[in-house]
Amino acid sequence: DYLRKLAPSIKNPTAKHLNSKKKFKYVVWTSYRNHGTKYDDRWHSYYGPPEKEFNSSYDTLEEANRRVEYVFYFKNPWGEERDEMNADTESIHPPE
């Protein structure tokens, strides 16, 4: 089972992972566009990018990616879980 295989620090980050003032190398940000802020220059109007919120940070890319997947699949604002979504999982790979 996917959830049982996750390290406890992925599901419930420790205080050191949640410290936004002293971040590790890889940061997990969350955002959700709920129409955002409307910009109107009297010629164009559009909704800007959603605000991002610090979620956690990790020493390794692998840990950060696991946290991203966990947050996306189990802590998302839509209330859907991994099995209910039709999405391919993609991981961020470091540049070569």
Side-chain angles (χ1 to χ4, degrees):
D1 180 50
Y2 176 81
L3 288 174
R4 281 187 282 174
K5 292 179 184 177
L6 289 176
S9 65
I10 302 300
K11 293 188 277 188
N12 298 301
T14 62
K16 69 180 183 179
H17 293 112
L18 298 173
N19 186 346
S20 63
K21 304 235 186 280
K22 194 173 181 182
K23 298 178 187 89
F24 289 105
K25 185 175 182 179
Y26 298 98
V27 177
V28 176
W29 298 98
T30 58
S31 66
Y32 173 67
R33 179 182 296 271
N34 190 7
H35 298 295
T37 303
K38 186 174 183 179
Y39 297 94
D40 191 346
D41 64 7
R42 297 174 55 119
W43 183 258
H44 302 93
S45 65
Y46 63 96
Y47 291 97
E51 292 181 17
K52 66 181 185 178
E53 185 176 314
F54 174 82
N55 179 275
S56 53
S57 67
Y58 292 87
D59 279 325
T60 69
L61 182 61
E62 181 181 356
E63 288 176 300
N65 277 338
R66 289 191 191 283
R67 177 68 182 165
V68 167
E69 290 174 3
Y70 175 74
V71 170
F72 180 77
Y73 285 123
F74 297 98
K75 299 296 180 186
N76 63 68
W78 311 289
E80 294 182 5
E81 290 193 2
R82 187 175 191 232
D83 295 339
E84 299 172 301
M85 292 188 179
N86 292 325
D88 292 328
T89 302
E90 292 187 26
S91 296
I92 300 169
H93 300 284
E96 295 181 17

